[in-house]
Amino acid sequence: MRLRRGTIFALALALTLPAAGVAHAAPRRDRSATLFLAGLSVSLGNPKVAGFYLALLPNLIDLGHVDLLGYAELAGLCVAVLTVVLGSYALAAARARSLFNSPRAVRWFNRTGGTLMAGAAIAVASK
């Protein structure tokens, strides 16, 4: 039986991942305005959001009858929706950060990852 390179790599990861230590990086303390502007630039530069609204909006609203106030309302609605959605992502990330800083949780994640990599190695080797 000839082993593939992917099998050997996955087995190496499976054996070394559970023994990996916990690396603690000091969290950066950036100013709130800097973080806000970085997030805003990422959101505004995302073409998927604009594509979504360009594809969906004409099907829901007759844009020929929308005046300036209507566009302002639509823009405010978009800002509110993005704030709620991205704010919930930020809260989830903040909670996940505290989880990932726990040595017990990191050991659990490493063992789970090692087990999954061992399973992937077995799946690759059995093909």
Side-chain angles (χ1 to χ4, degrees):
M1 181 173 110
R2 187 173 143 246
L3 288 179
R4 298 178 184 166
R5 277 184 255 164
T7 305
I8 296 169
F9 179 70
L11 277 175
L13 280 178
L15 294 175
T16 58
L17 195 58
V22 178
H24 290 287
R28 291 179 20 186
R29 296 291 179 201
D30 292 333
R31 293 192 338 230
S32 296
T34 304
L35 293 175
F36 174 77
L37 290 175
L40 181 65
S41 65
V42 168
S43 294
L44 292 177
N46 187 357
K48 291 182 286 187
V49 173
F52 174 77
Y53 285 111
L54 285 174
L56 186 67
L57 205 57
N59 294 323
L60 299 175
I61 299 170
D62 184 13
L63 295 178
H65 295 6
V66 177
D67 58 351
L68 187 60
L69 178 62
Y71 280 116
E73 290 171 343
L74 289 172
L77 181 65
C78 292
V79 168
V81 168
L82 286 174
T83 300
V84 168
V85 170
L86 296 178
S88 63
Y89 289 164
L91 283 174
R95 291 183 183 230
R97 175 186 280 180
S98 65
L99 174 67
F100 289 132
N101 282 334
S102 163
R104 180 175 177 225
V106 171
R107 272 194 313 275
W108 186 82
F109 285 126
N110 285 343
R111 288 178 183 156
T112 303
T115 302
L116 292 174
M117 291 305 292
I122 292 169
V124 168
S126 68
K127 294 230 174 206

